[in-house]
Amino acid sequence: GSSPQSNGFTEKLKAWLSWSWTYVCVIWFGMVMIMIYVLWSPLKLQETLASASVFLNTLTPKFYVALTGTSSLISGLILVRFEWWYFRKYGTSFIEQVSVSHLRPLLGGVEGSSTTGLFTSINGETEPRPSVSECKVWRNPLNLFRGAEYNRYTWVTGKEPLTYYDMNLSAQDHQTFFTGDTPQSRPEDTVMQKAWRERNPQARIRAAYQALEMNQECAAAYVLLAEEEATTITEAERLFRKALTIAGKDINLLVYIKRRLAMCARKLGRVKEAVKMMRDLMKEFPLLGMLNIHENLLEALLKLQAYADVQAVLAKYDDISLPKSATICYTSALLKARAVSDKFSPEAASRRGLSSAEMNAVEAIHRAVEFNPHVPKYLLEMKSLILPPEHILKRGDSEAVAYAFFHLQHWKRAEGALNLLHCTWEGTFRLIPYPLEKGHLFYPYPGCTETADRELLPSFHEVSVYPKKELPFFILFTAGLCSFTAMLAMLTHQFPELMGVFAKAFFSTLFAPLGFFADKMESLMPSSFWHQLTRI
């Protein structure tokens, strides 16, 4: 897996400079137009300067007051607008980041703690919190077919469901997976290496046909055509079957093709056949657990409502020594919720308390929500779903989208399961300390998920952020200060005498304690003391 690099401060500064440069360019353009008018005016330059001097001398204090208020309001609007845009894009205040990252070290302060600082785990030991580089991106076990599913979405909506970063990761996976173990590079392999790197889909398809012209038994070319050219699942299955007959002993190709054939069978309604193919694949290649084929198996078994078989798979893979996933945690919660959800009532539970089975179900939901807090809003349809990406970040919004896209139907089928989830999922956050210096059942929630998810998910999707960021203080402070200055300028312009009275009263009240203190000091000290002090 790979991870996206977070945008550096330099790139963010460029964004701010672009705003500032636009503002400066507008002022500069106005000044140039004035200069052109002055130089090309039919009046003599001396007369022009004289008239300008007369005009400036006729300006009243009210004009300068109005100018102060207007400039304060416009500057405030520009700064607040930029701060809000920066906060929405990067999740932090630009002014705060500049102050913490650059001004504090210059003033002798300690730099802000980074994401690699030490945090306390549930056993009391110190654990390093994952940094951005440690946020591993995984291949989505249930990723869709580009030609038959992703492209059809683009044809209908005109939107691209996959980001360039996501597709680039897939290209790297394909190059490593299909050509990494080739002992000798054949001409068609070289063509396919270039094909996976092509950004244009049509160029990739043309390269696949070029490889087939060189060798009709190029299995990787058929895989590419099945993934990208086939417009139906049936056509994709036909091409994968053809690739399987000529794959030979290439283990990577065999595993990939058999898995995709099982997914084709699942999508075409032959679920039992898909389950058998997945079980055979897991028995034939038991060491390839990193491919997470068991997640495909869990989804197919839930479709068959074979809950006993689902529990058997969970007993094998929901182990403390194995990596967790949203599929593992939420499927375990679904099975426990299903046992009690049909008779669950929040009113009755509040009166009599929770039974042991209900408590187990609630604890399983809390465990799942702590692992990935983004999933419930998709399952409860509080947030709209999109097509899942080809890669996901565990515990991130991308994983939540991928899980809910395939498993929402299984939660709906279990009567009352979504109601139980709705009543209990927010209680998880009362169990987790805030700020997230330590976790409850898992390690602290990583701080790099938002950056990675923005790279993996399309721009039209609103990325879910946890923990929810509060509005930065500097946005509120800037807006309040500029608005207050503009309001004072407007009131002074409209009611100069009254505002003068208020200003005198305000400053006299403000300095009254200081005057009182000075009078007391003067009464306590001898008069000669002040005389000697002034002489010194």
Side-chain angles (χ1 to χ4, degrees):
S2 307
S3 64
Q5 298 296 329
S6 62
N7 292 324
F9 175 79
T10 304
E11 296 183 2
K12 298 176 183 179
L13 184 59
K14 287 179 181 178
W16 179 79
L17 288 176
S18 65
W19 283 68
S20 303
W21 182 245
T22 304
Y23 188 44
V24 170
C25 285
V26 171
I27 299 175
W28 178 81
F29 179 75
M31 294 176 65
V32 169
M33 295 302 295
I34 293 174
M35 290 296 295
I36 292 174
Y37 172 77
V38 169
L39 293 175
W40 292 93
S41 174
L43 298 175
K44 295 180 180 180
L45 180 60
Q46 186 175 1
E47 295 177 356
T48 304
L49 293 176
S51 61
S53 177
V54 172
F55 172 75
L56 292 175
N57 290 331
T58 57
L59 294 178
T60 63
K62 282 190 174 184
F63 170 79
Y64 294 104
V65 171
L67 181 63
T68 302
T70 305
S71 60
S72 175
L73 182 61
I74 294 175
S75 301
L77 290 175
I78 293 174
L79 185 57
V80 169
R81 177 68 181 88
F82 171 75
E83 274 281 294
W84 175 247
W85 168 83
Y86 192 89
F87 171 69
R88 291 293 301 272
K89 186 171 180 63
Y90 300 110
T92 185
S93 166
F94 176 79
I95 300 176
E96 183 180 356
Q97 184 174 4
V98 171
S99 304
V100 173
S101 303
H102 295 268
L103 299 183
R104 185 184 292 180
L106 294 176
L107 298 175
V110 181
E111 293 187 10
S113 58
S114 64
T115 55
T116 57
L118 293 178
F119 291 79
T120 306
S121 63
I122 54 177
N123 56 9
E125 299 177 356
T126 55
E127 292 289 343
R129 184 167 183 172
S131 64
V132 173
S133 61
E134 293 171 335
C135 281
K136 184 177 180 181
V137 177
W138 298 74
R139 182 83 175 174
N140 183 3
L142 286 83
N143 65 303
L144 305 178
F145 294 85
R146 285 194 188 176
E149 292 173 305
Y150 287 121
N151 285 350
R152 295 180 67 175
Y153 176 84
T154 303
W155 298 336
V156 173
T157 64
K159 298 178 180 179
E160 290 290 343
L162 298 176
T163 64
Y164 174 69
Y165 174 75
D166 192 14
M167 293 188 290
N168 187 47
L169 289 179
S170 297
Q172 296 175 20
D173 293 342
H174 292 148
Q175 289 180 70
T176 305
F177 208 66
F178 297 140
T179 57
D181 297 331
T182 306
Q184 247 180 355
S185 180
R186 300 171 296 180
E188 60 270 22
D189 294 331
T190 304
V191 172
M192 289 307 300
Q193 279 275 18
K194 294 180 181 178
W196 298 121
R197 289 196 297 266
E198 287 286 352
R199 186 171 181 178
N200 190 324
Q202 295 304 318
R204 290 195 294 268
I205 293 172
R206 285 196 299 269
Y209 279 114
Q210 182 183 350
L212 288 176
E213 290 175 1
M214 296 178 178
N215 183 2
Q216 285 292 324
E217 295 188 352
C218 181
Y222 284 110
V223 168
L224 190 148
L225 294 176
E227 291 284 354
E228 304 210 20
E229 189 186 39
T231 56
T232 63
I233 300 297
T234 304
E235 177 65 13
E237 184 181 36
R238 183 187 66 81
L239 290 169
F240 274 122
R241 289 190 184 279
K242 193 165 186 178
L244 182 62
T245 59
I246 58 178
K249 297 181 179 180
D250 190 328
I251 294 179
N252 289 340
L253 264 176
L254 286 173
V255 171
Y256 186 91
I257 294 171
K258 288 184 177 181
R259 180 182 194 165
R260 294 305 258 177
L261 281 172
M263 295 174 70
C264 287
R266 163 67 183 89
K267 292 174 184 292
L268 293 173
R270 307 195 306 270
V271 186
K272 291 184 178 180
E273 179 185 343
V275 167
K276 183 179 184 305
M277 295 173 69
M278 293 173 190
R279 289 188 185 277
D280 293 342
L281 190 58
M282 294 169 65
K283 290 179 182 177
E284 188 177 358
F285 304 101
L287 301 179
L288 295 179
M290 67 183 72
L291 299 178
N292 297 322
I293 303 175
H294 59 276
E295 296 195 9
N296 299 82
L297 179 61
L298 283 172
E299 196 281 326
L301 290 173
L302 286 172
K303 180 65 177 178
L304 293 174
Q305 301 186 40
Y307 297 111
D309 293 336
V310 172
Q311 186 60 55
V313 175
L314 287 177
K316 182 178 180 180
Y317 289 97
D318 192 6
D319 186 83
I320 193 171
S321 62
L322 296 177
K324 296 293 182 291
S325 67
T327 301
I328 293 291
C329 295
Y330 277 90
T331 301
S332 177
L334 173 60
L335 292 188
K336 293 181 180 179
R338 175 181 165 273
V340 298
S341 59
D342 56 336
K343 299 178 182 177
F344 177 78
S345 169
E347 293 80 10
S350 62
R351 288 195 306 269
R352 58 174 172 77
L354 295 175
S355 64
S356 58
E358 290 172 338
M359 183 63 70
N360 290 336
V362 171
E363 289 177 353
I365 290 175
H366 287 176
R367 171 178 179 258
V369 173
E370 181 182 351
F371 182 83
N372 193 317
H374 309 285
V375 172
K377 287 189 176 182
Y378 294 108
L379 292 180
L380 298 172
E381 298 181 90
M382 300 165 64
K383 205 170 187 298
S384 59
L385 270 173
I386 59 171
L387 295 186
E390 293 183 337
H391 290 80
I392 59 173
L393 181 69
K394 289 191 174 182
R395 307 188 74 178
D397 191 34
S398 51
E399 184 191 37
V401 169
Y403 172 80
F405 185 85
F406 294 100
H407 288 262
L408 176 59
Q409 56 179 319
H410 308 312
W411 279 82
K412 286 184 174 181
R413 185 180 296 133
E415 183 182 355
L418 289 176
N419 179 47
L420 180 60
L421 177 68
H422 174 73
C423 295
T424 58
W425 74 279
E426 290 181 324
T428 309
F429 305 117
R430 292 193 290 269
L431 305 175
I432 304 174
Y434 184 84
L436 304 178
E437 72 278 1
K438 63 179 181 178
H440 180 59
L441 299 175
F442 299 100
Y443 286 127
Y445 189 80
C448 59
T449 56
E450 180 184 357
T451 303
D453 282 332
R454 290 190 189 281
E455 297 282 351
L456 291 171
L457 296 169
S459 58
F460 58 82
H461 173 71
E462 184 181 352
V463 175
S464 177
V465 179
Y466 175 80
K468 195 69 176 177
K469 293 181 173 61
E470 299 177 356
L471 197 64
F473 164 76
F474 285 103
I475 292 181
L476 302 175
F477 176 77
T478 304
L481 180 62
C482 295
S483 301
F484 180 71
T485 305
M487 182 184 68
L488 283 181
M490 183 188 69
L491 292 176
T492 304
H493 183 269
Q494 292 293 328
F495 311 105
E497 293 83 4
L498 184 60
M499 290 301 295
V501 173
F502 275 118
K504 290 179 181 179
F506 173 77
F507 284 110
S508 62
T509 306
L510 182 65
F511 291 109
L514 185 61
F516 176 78
F517 179 76
D519 292 340
K520 286 292 183 182
M521 290 293 294
E522 187 174 359
S523 62
L524 294 175
M525 297 293 179
S527 58
S528 59
F529 174 79
W530 296 109
H531 179 68
Q532 296 295 331
L533 187 63
T534 54
R535 291 184 63 185
I536 294 175

